[in-house]
């Protein structure tokens, strides 16, 4: 039986403790991972499951922005760096299938999804289907890159904030209102400055207190029917539009046209062959990586060959985050996804995405930390 949602107290605005900063520094494998993910061997549009004849715009600017964003993501997601290193040692071709971002609808109905869409459409991305995420009050849509590029697809979601418990919605509105004007995107694009454009994604325009974040996550226990949505809210209030995850296309690992053969899988060297996503999941588990136990025949795989899309993901890495009140503590951040596209399937499935979203759920992260 559902209980009443937790009321956010005025003390949620106050800092309760200070935790020493952990210096992350530069992982030695980050530059190689960034190079593999952004400057790997060229693959055909068909092997990448991309169809969009729209010419790319502002190619040099987007390439510089993408490089910055991949670098920032890699520095806070050591799991991705380590997986790319593993695949490189096995002679695999690493290709970034898509990246994902989260946002909100504000109190005036202004859409964070539309705000982010403004950015990617300016570079030649084509808006595709809206995606329904079962059991979550989200809007979602995906975007196809110009097929002449090697750019990733983009998946954007936004919380329908008005459908959250009112006390949580008010916290969101207090921080987010006024920050989702597409003119901010157009202004950054007009400068032609990669730093300014990358900051739209990587630098959160709002900042919550540690107590607000903790109380929002605690509210998930009082509303199990909205637990995943509330966890999504806490994550997005903390990290805003930063890349929530990056995805490696398993079809491309062999670097061969057509990808993974009759099973849409890749055979890569250096040990047992990797022909399916289940094989890749088993390899990563054997190497000590922790996957999101979202379900499926092997406990990790969302979807199937029958629905033409299979996905799995790691549990989010944690980072030291500085909150508005001065508290610094570890919180879930970004994760790595793996994907197999069968029969040239280009799109996304809401049922698959539902399980992937829980990779940043604190209960999942704490269970393996």
């Amino acid at each position: 039986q559902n209980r009443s949602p937790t009321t956010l107290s005025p003390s949620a605005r106050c800092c309760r403790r200070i935790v020493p900063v952990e210096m992350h520094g530069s992982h030695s494998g980050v530059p190689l991972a960034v190079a593999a993910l952004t400057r790997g061997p060229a693959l055909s549009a068909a092997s990448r499951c991309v169809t969009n004849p729209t010419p790319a715009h502002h190619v040099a600017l987007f390439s510089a922005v993408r490089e910055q964003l991949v670098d920032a993501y890699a520095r806070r997601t050591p799991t991705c760096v380590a997986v790319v290193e593993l695949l490189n040692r096995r002679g695999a071709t690493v290709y970034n299938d898509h990246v994902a971002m989260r946002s909100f609808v504000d109190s005036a109905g202004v859409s964070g999804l539309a705000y982010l869409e403004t950015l990617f459409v300016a570079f030649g991305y084509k808006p595709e289907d809206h995606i329904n995420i079962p059991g979550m009050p989200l809007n979602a849509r995906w975007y196809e890159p110009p097929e002449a590029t090697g750019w990733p697809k983009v998946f954007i979601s936004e919380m329908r904030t008005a459908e959250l418990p009112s006390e949580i919605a008010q916290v969101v509105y207090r921080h987010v209102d006024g920050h989702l004007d597409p003119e901010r995107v157009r202004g950054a694009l007009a400068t032609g400055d990669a730093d300014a454009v990358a900051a739209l994604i990587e630098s959160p325009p709002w900042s919550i207190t540690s107590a607000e974040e903790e109380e929002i996550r605690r509210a998930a226990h009082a509303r199990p029917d909205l637990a995943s949505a509330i966890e999504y809210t806490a994550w997005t209030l903390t990290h805003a539009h930063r890349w929530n995850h990056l995805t490696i296309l398993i079809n491309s690992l062999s670097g061969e046209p057509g990808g993974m053969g009759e099973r849409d899988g890749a055979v890569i060297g250096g040990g047992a062959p990797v022909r399916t996503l289940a094989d890749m999941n088993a390899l990563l588990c054997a190497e000590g990586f922790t996957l999101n136990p979202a379900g499926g025949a092997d406990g990790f795989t969302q979807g199937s060959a029958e629905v033409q899309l299979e996905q799995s993901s790691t549990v989010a890495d944690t980072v030291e985050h500085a909150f508005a009140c001065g508290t610094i503590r570890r919180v879930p951040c970004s994760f790595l996804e793996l994907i197999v596209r069968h029969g040239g399937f280009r799109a996304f499935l809401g049922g698959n995405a539902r399980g992937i979203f829980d990779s940043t759920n604190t209960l999942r992260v704490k269970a393996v930390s």
Side-chain angles (χ1 to χ4, degrees), residues 202-225:
E202 185 57 29
S203 299
W206 53 75
S207 181
I208 65 171
T209 67
S210 174
E212 284 176 319
E213 191 264 358
E214 288 179 316
E215 288 208 37
I216 288 173
R217 289 195 187 273
R218 279 199 297 271
H221 295 282
R223 288 294 304 271
D225 58 317

Side-chain angles (χ1 to χ4, degrees), residues 10-19 175 206-215 237-238 321-329 331:
S11 64
R13 302 175 187 175
C14 302
C15 174
R16 292 206 290 261
R17 67 180 186 279
I18 300 294
V19 179
H175 291 287
W206 53 75
S207 181
I208 65 171
T209 67
S210 174
E212 284 176 319
E213 191 264 358
E214 288 179 316
E215 288 208 37
L237 279 174
T238 302
H321 180 78
F323 288 91
C325 60
T327 295
I328 299 171
R329 61 177 171 80
V331 294

Side-chain angles (χ1 to χ4, degrees), residues 278-292:
D279 290 341
M280 176 58 68
N281 293 339
L283 171 63
L284 295 185
C285 288
E287 293 287 336
F289 294 96
T290 303
L291 300 185
N292 171 11

